[in-house]
Amino acid sequence: MDFSWPKEYLEYRAQVEDFIQAEVNPTLAELDESQTFPQKAWEACASFGIQALPAPASLGGPLEKVDFSRALLAMQGFGYACTDNGLPFAMNAQMWTVQTPLLEFGSPEQHQKFLVPMMRGEMIGAHALTERQAGSDVMSLQLKATKVDGGYLLNGDKWLITLGPICDVALVIANTRPEFGKWGISAFIVEKGMKGFEQSEKMSKMGMRCIPIGAFTFTDCFVPEENLLGSEGSGFGILHHSLEYDRCSIMAAQLGAMERQLEESISYVKGREQFGQSVGKFQSVSNRIAEMKLRLETARLLLYKTAWLKEQGKSAAMEAALLKLQLSEAFVDSSLDAIRNYGGIGFLSETGADKNLRDAVGGLIYAGTSDIQRNIIAKLLGL
């Protein structure tokens, strides 16, 4: 059992961190407060090659074959270096829930029309699954896609869609044959400006505020047959394929943020003195630091194991659920501990501790809530 990373992987992670600190972080100031999308940072990341990580060299990716573990470590470094947790979250969402399904199930024409521009930063892609009455309960999808001559008519709504208000293309999950259950679900590529497709304004939210979230409305929206992803009825399989990658990659960025959070906490408690000694000498504080370290390392092991399974082409349903549950809950708990470690100043925005907490809370909900992860784990254990 080898827990080491190849030297070239670690070197690439360091390059990512240097790039983020030099070229991305300076463009992020005030964007969280104003809830403004970091367009310049997004484009800079594309120029560096971040959005191309889930693609092979034949389509403009960095390697002949996609190396998921290398990409995962790079996104961990991204989360570690980036002063905004929303940017790596949104980038991972596009890369693994839009680009990867396009790569695996799309036609060569769809690759050139949609995937390549997303890799170059020329298009922004959103993944549209959630509805008001179909969040965790995927089988309750109400968005209907009716077959007509030359394509499909979409009618219904989607909401809580990351990047929804600004996306150029959306991977939309709809019901084509409800009577077939999960085999009646299909995936469509919907383009901005299509007649009958409306994108809402951004919704205000508590965390990751520079990344817009919104709703879609479809009113007799005609989607041509060439914009069907895969075959009719393959939508559930496409979802299942992308979710494990999604949970890994999004959690990798959070793991990086937790690394930074722990280092900053240790530095502060060692330097802050009360009663003639550093506050890190007090057992209550040092115990919190120990708990933060424990959460970080257990989450890291789950992440790396899940990534290894995906790299081996094996199912990681259980591991992905365990990872999503553990890491998302750990980030919230450690964010609270970090605020306690700072004391009064932790309640002020200048430390950034408040922002980590606000951003971390979303992890309990997106990509499957903690409650749903527990249900998945229990079901896979035969309960």
Side-chain angles (χ1 to χ4, degrees):
M1 187 175 294
D2 186 357
F3 286 94
S4 63
W5 287 98
K7 181 182 177 181
E8 58 269 26
Y9 286 27
L10 296 172
E11 289 175 347
Y12 183 64
R13 171 181 168 160
Q15 292 171 17
V16 170
E17 292 175 7
D18 290 344
F19 159 72
I20 295 297
Q21 291 167 350
E23 304 294 333
V24 172
N25 286 344
T27 71
L28 298 178
E30 312 301 330
L31 295 186
D32 182 74
E33 186 174 345
S34 64
Q35 301 195 39
T36 302
F37 178 70
Q39 183 68 41
K40 290 183 179 179
W42 191 275
E43 293 171 357
C45 287
S47 296
F48 183 80
I50 297 295
Q51 288 96 313
L53 287 172
S58 59
L59 289 171
L63 302 172
E64 184 176 344
K65 181 182 176 183
V66 176
D67 190 326
F68 182 56
S69 294
R70 178 178 179 271
L72 198 77
L73 188 64
M75 295 314 293
Q76 185 180 331
F78 193 125
Y80 173 83
C82 191
T83 55
D84 184 87
N85 297 306
L87 178 59
F89 164 77
M91 200 152 288
N92 275 309
Q94 174 183 287
M95 288 161 59
W96 306 103
T97 67
V98 184
Q99 292 179 218
T100 296
L102 273 168
L103 175 65
E104 296 295 328
F105 301 97
S107 66
E109 293 76 18
Q110 290 171 341
H111 289 167
Q112 293 302 319
K113 186 176 181 180
F114 305 113
L115 178 57
V116 172
M118 275 190 269
M119 291 163 48
R120 293 174 178 166
E122 298 164 0
M123 276 188 177
I124 292 176
H127 183 267
L129 170 63
T130 303
E131 300 174 6
R132 288 183 181 271
Q133 302 303 322
S136 300
D137 184 7
V138 176
M139 300 313 298
S140 294
L141 288 176
Q142 296 299 305
L143 180 63
K144 188 74 168 65
T146 305
K147 187 73 175 73
V148 295
D149 186 31
Y152 296 80
L153 285 179
L154 270 59
N155 282 283
D157 303 280
K158 294 290 183 182
W159 85 313
L160 298 181
I161 307 303
T162 299
L163 297 170
I166 63 168
C167 71
D168 301 291
V169 61
L171 178 56
V172 178
I173 308 301
N175 240 324
T176 44
R177 301 289 293 273
E179 67 273 19
F180 288 172
K182 66 181 181 181
W183 306 118
I185 297 173
S186 302
F188 298 90
I189 306 166
V190 179
E191 301 171 59
K192 185 174 186 175
M194 281 183 166
K195 186 178 179 180
F197 173 44
E198 295 182 18
Q199 298 165 256
S200 76
E201 296 295 320
K202 65 184 178 185
M203 301 170 176
S204 183
K205 58 187 187 301
M206 69 179 292
M208 297 188 293
R209 296 191 298 192
C210 73
I211 301 303
I213 190 171
F216 294 154
T217 301
F218 301 89
T219 307
D220 285 337
C221 175
F222 177 75
V223 180
E225 194 159 356
E226 59 263 29
N227 281 35
L228 175 68
L229 184 63
S231 58
E232 184 178 304
S234 65
F236 187 82
I238 292 172
L239 277 176
H240 181 74
H241 177 271
S242 65
L243 265 179
E244 292 176 10
Y245 286 105
D246 179 37
R247 288 169 181 162
C248 265
S249 57
I250 290 176
M251 294 299 104
Q254 284 202 351
L255 184 71
M258 287 175 65
E259 287 184 67
R260 181 186 72 245
Q261 182 182 63
L262 177 59
E263 290 177 7
E264 290 172 347
S265 284
I266 292 173
S267 177
Y268 181 80
V269 300
K270 288 172 69 175
R272 167 74 167 164
E273 289 193 2
Q274 291 285 276
F275 303 102
Q277 62 180 351
S278 70
V279 297
K281 296 293 185 182
F282 296 119
Q283 193 172 41
S284 294
V285 176
S286 63
N287 282 356
R288 281 195 293 269
I289 293 291
E291 290 292 337
M292 292 173 72
K293 176 63 173 175
L294 177 61
R295 295 185 198 110
L296 175 66
E297 294 304 324
T298 53
R300 190 196 309 272
L301 290 172
L302 281 169
L303 175 68
Y304 291 176
K305 181 181 180 182
T306 307
W308 178 81
L309 286 169
K310 297 307 296 178
E311 194 83 339
Q312 299 298 310
K314 299 178 180 179
S315 173
M318 171 69 83
E319 288 76 13
L322 289 166
L323 166 66
K324 173 60 173 60
L325 175 62
Q326 165 66 8
L327 209 157
S328 61
E329 300 262 344
F331 193 21
V332 172
D333 291 341
S334 288
S335 296
L336 283 168
D337 278 345
I339 291 174
R340 294 187 181 102
N341 291 337
Y342 279 111
I345 197 174
F347 198 61
L348 304 179
S349 296
E350 64 184 76
T351 64
D354 67 315
K355 187 176 184 305
N356 281 332
L357 178 60
R358 288 190 286 104
D359 292 345
V361 171
L364 305 179
I365 302 168
Y366 59 66
T369 67
S370 290
D371 292 337
I372 288 299
Q373 302 312 315
R374 291 184 174 95
N375 287 349
I376 291 171
I377 294 163
K379 184 177 180 179
L380 291 172
L381 290 172
L383 301 177

